[in-house]
Each structure stands twice: as structure tokens, then as C-alpha cells.
Amino acid sequence: MNDRVTPQALPAMQAMPDGEAEISLVVRLPWEDVARLGQEAGRLAAQMQRPVTLDEAVSNRLRSSRPAAAHARPAGEQPTPTTAPSASVASLPRISGTA
């Protein structure tokens, strides 16, 4: 049985009313990474004082650890060139497996 979602069944990206975009992904993770996401969800749930999903935990993690997008900077401000990956990318768990 194949549980993968076909591109026709679910759009890859959807514009949201608040001006953001929602992207649907299927990601294969080792159980250790799933456990880390569960811990992140637990921390977020304690902070927000309500249950949260793993989706919310991932979204919160990505939002809280990324710099502002280059296109969102005020006019005249130039991005700083870097040679190494940003700290936000480097701090995310490595995903192993085949593509």
C-alpha cells in the first residue's frame, strides 16, 4: 500500500489569509529526530499552556531560529555575505536517509 500523497490530491503551497504561505511536505525522519520534535512540542505546550501538534512545534522552531528574509529588509539595507551556513540551519537536526 502506498500512503504517499499525489501532487494532484494536495497542493504543494497555499496562500493563507494572514499573508503567509503553507507548504505541505512529506519528510522521512529517524525516530530520534521525531523524539526531539516531541520534546520541542512539550516545551512549546508548556510555554503556551495548551496542547500543540508536531506541526506547530516544527513551525515554531523554524520561525524562532531564522533571520529575516532578505527581500523583507528595509530599502537601502544590504544583506551581509556569509560563507558558512546560518546558525539557524546549523542548529537543526541532521536528516539522514535517501532522497
Side-chain angles (χ1 to χ4, degrees), residues 6-81:
T6 62
Q8 296 82 17
L10 187 64
M13 186 172 10
Q14 178 179 344
M16 304 305 290
D18 61 1
E20 295 186 345
E22 181 177 284
I23 301 173
S24 300
L25 302 172
V26 175
V27 182
R28 294 181 63 173
L29 298 172
W31 284 111
E32 294 81 15
D33 290 343
V34 175
R36 283 189 208 106
L37 289 174
Q39 290 174 341
E40 183 74 21
R43 284 190 290 274
L44 184 59
Q47 178 184 358
M48 299 178 80
Q49 297 183 349
R50 66 172 179 82
V52 298
T53 64
L54 290 181
D55 289 350
E56 287 179 284
V58 170
S59 180
N60 183 69
R61 173 75 182 264
L62 291 172
R63 289 172 188 270
S64 65
S65 63
R66 68 181 170 140
H71 66 275
R73 289 193 178 104
E77 184 178 329
Q78 297 297 320
T80 348

Side-chain angles (χ1 to χ4, degrees), residues 82-87:
T82 59
T83 56
S86 69

